[in-house]
Amino acid sequence: MLQKLLRRVERHYDVDGMTDVIRVDPERPDPAAIARAAECLRGGGLVAFPTETVYGLGVYALDRTAVRRLFEAKGRPANDPLIVHVGSPDLMDALVLHVPDAARALAARFWPGPLTLVLPRSPLVPDEVTAGLDTVAVRVPAHPVARALLVAAGIPVAAPSANLFSRLSPTRASHVLDDLEGRIDLIVDGGPTTVGVESTVLDLSRGTPTLLRPGAITAEMLREVLPRVEVGTVRQDDRPAMLSPGLLEKHYAPRAPLTLYEGETPAMLERLMRDAHEAMNAGARVGLIVADEDAVDVRGDARIARLGSTHDLTTVASRLYSVLREMDAAGVDVILVRGFPGSGLGTAVRDRLHRAAATRIVL
Ligand code: TXA
Ligand code: MG
């Protein structure tokens, strides 16, 4: 199977240093546009495309040269492994040593979708992709554009989020352009992504299935299929083995320092507003991120963004990164964010806000 995938790459991507953008209908992408992007991938090119979570920056996963080019374009350290995207679950078999029953059951239930499985890797997957780990992360995305592209290309595509290293994941083609214009070959613009936070990462490679990164497929949903799912610690500091080196906090942070306010709503908002006014009085440009229903009475010139209702975490997740990027673009000095309920998709929102805040959490 993999022999078929191991094609000799005749490099024929555009090397003019320009990033082309092709717009496609997110539901029914034009086959000619998809064919062009697929050909670019097959020729060793770097192609950004929408998935249901965030935009990915794809390259042919079995082409070491292309993978190295990808790391260079992102400025990503080589010790941070990539997720390999495939168009159908049966391609997973070619990338891993063996497929455990648990992986088959989860794939049947959640693929295509925002779930990434970490499995023992086949030796044919280059070290450049796995950062030398003995495992490989695999996912079948659900976005019609991603699916069409992967099916048309017919190859496994390694794709991290299409942002510069240390910047926020992109949820729109314009975010990709802001970070990577001139550094990649092509962007397939399929409009804003729907989920808005990166896929759930589940490690099935050792003993108990362990959640490494929360996403839209929640631990509760996984436990309906696999009752013994454990939630891994997200902090790397206490983890010498670096099970998932890409999960360092700083990857998910805006440029301006972000403080997260948690706790019961009226008191939490009062505290947030008090700190906001203090910062404004000290001359700082302040960005406030609150919920739709929050009554905030700002005396002064702050930038306010509403993420959505605390009862609608789907909207909150889908807007999170673009609102944080807008704050950075507006040049605010500090960002103050209200906490959101940590259930369902809220677990992923909370996780990303915690990473962005690092130690700046007010309880
Ligand atoms: O939703 C997503 O997952 C998006 C879209 C494009 O699919 N991709 C994405 O990729 O978020 P990236 O590279 O930004 O994050 C991949 C995460 C990293 O935290 C990385 O450390 C982890 O997956 N990962 C990759 N391979 C791994 C492995 N073999 N073992 C443990 N963690 C792994
Ligand atoms: Mg990323």
Side-chain angles (χ1 to χ4, degrees):
M1 172 70 122
L2 202 70
Q3 291 312 328
K4 209 178 78 193
L5 300 176
L6 260 176
R7 50 200 310 282
R8 213 171 70 82
V9 176
E10 277 165 43
R11 241 153 269 292
H12 52 69
Y13 53 83
D14 227 355
V15 282
D16 60 3
M18 303 266 286
T19 301
D20 293 340
V21 181
I22 347 180
R23 286 194 76 143
V24 295
D25 181 318
E27 295 301 325
R28 297 160 151 273
D30 172 24
I34 292 296
R36 181 178 156 203
E39 207 32 59
C40 186
L41 280 174
R42 293 167 68 92
L46 268 55
V47 179
F49 60 94
T51 80
E52 68 277 27
T53 57
V54 300
Y55 272 73
L57 177 58
V59 287
Y60 176 29
L62 306 184
D63 176 12
R64 292 168 193 274
T65 312
V67 176
R68 282 195 216 110
R69 233 185 122 219
L70 165 73
F71 275 90
E72 219 169 278
K74 276 196 56 131
R76 179 169 168 133
N79 68 353
D80 192 353
L82 305 176
I83 297 172
V84 181
H85 297 65
V86 286
S88 79
D90 46 301
L91 279 181
M92 157 172 66
D93 298 38
L95 300 168
V96 305
L97 270 188
H98 64 95
V99 181
D101 291 344
R104 292 230 189 272
L106 291 169
R109 174 79 175 74
F110 297 112
W111 280 354
L115 174 65
T116 295
L117 299 177
V118 174
L119 295 162
R121 71 150 164 166
S122 140
L124 287 160
V125 179
D127 277 342
E128 282 83 350
V129 170
T130 66
L133 296 176
D134 55 1
T135 54
V136 60
V138 187
R139 119 170 164 91
V140 180
H143 194 293
V145 173
R147 296 202 67 187
L149 178 58
L150 291 166
V151 168
I155 50 174
V157 172
S161 50
N163 52 283
L164 277 176
F165 178 70
S166 88
R167 295 224 50 202
L168 296 157
S169 289
T171 56
R172 296 167 178 271
S174 62
H175 299 162
V176 181
L177 266 179
D178 286 345
D179 279 15
L180 298 171
E181 179 156 30
R183 304 172 74 93
I184 65 176
D185 302 300
L186 192 63
I187 301 176
V188 183
D189 178 356
T193 65
T194 48
V195 176
V197 289
E198 306 84 351
S199 63
T200 304
V201 179
L202 182 72
D203 187 353
L204 291 177
S205 70
R206 57 205 97 219
T208 315
T210 306
L211 192 78
L212 297 179
R213 179 172 75 183
I217 308 295
T218 63
E220 297 74 48
M221 291 161 76
L222 294 169
R223 287 189 190 116
E224 285 171 19
V225 177
L226 275 192
R228 277 182 343 119
V229 170
E230 274 182 15
V231 176
T233 56
V234 290
R235 300 189 62 91
Q236 295 293 325
D237 325 49
D238 49 354
R239 236 188 224 234
M242 291 281 269
L243 277 190
S244 192
L247 294 176
L248 295 168
E249 278 80 1
K250 63 174 191 300
H251 297 204
Y252 298 87
R255 274 193 273 250
L258 178 155
T259 305
L260 176 63
Y261 291 77
E262 294 202 314
E264 292 301 317
T265 301
M268 173 254 280
L269 279 179
E270 269 166 41
R271 179 73 201 272
L272 185 153
M273 291 312 296
R274 201 166 65 228
D275 289 356
H277 284 120
E278 207 169 281
M280 283 156 66
N281 291 339
R285 280 166 301 177
V286 175
L288 298 178
I289 301 181
V290 295
D292 285 357
E293 58 271 29
D294 293 339
V296 289
D297 172 24
V298 185
R299 298 177 309 271
D301 189 20
R303 190 180 178 91
I304 305 177
R306 296 186 184 271
L307 271 186
S309 162
T310 54
H311 304 292
D312 178 11
L313 297 170
T314 305
T315 300
V316 170
S318 71
R319 287 174 44 72
L320 178 65
Y321 287 140
S322 61
V323 162
L324 290 175
R325 274 182 180 255
E326 281 162 24
M327 290 287 174
D328 271 345
V332 301
D333 300 309
V334 290
I335 304 174
L336 281 54
V337 189
R338 69 105 80 220
F340 285 83
S343 57
L345 192 50
T347 310
V349 170
R350 205 160 167 261
D351 170 77
R352 303 311 188 274
L353 284 174
H354 269 252
R355 292 169 198 273
T359 56
R360 292 176 303 272
I361 297 170
V362 177
L363 286 167

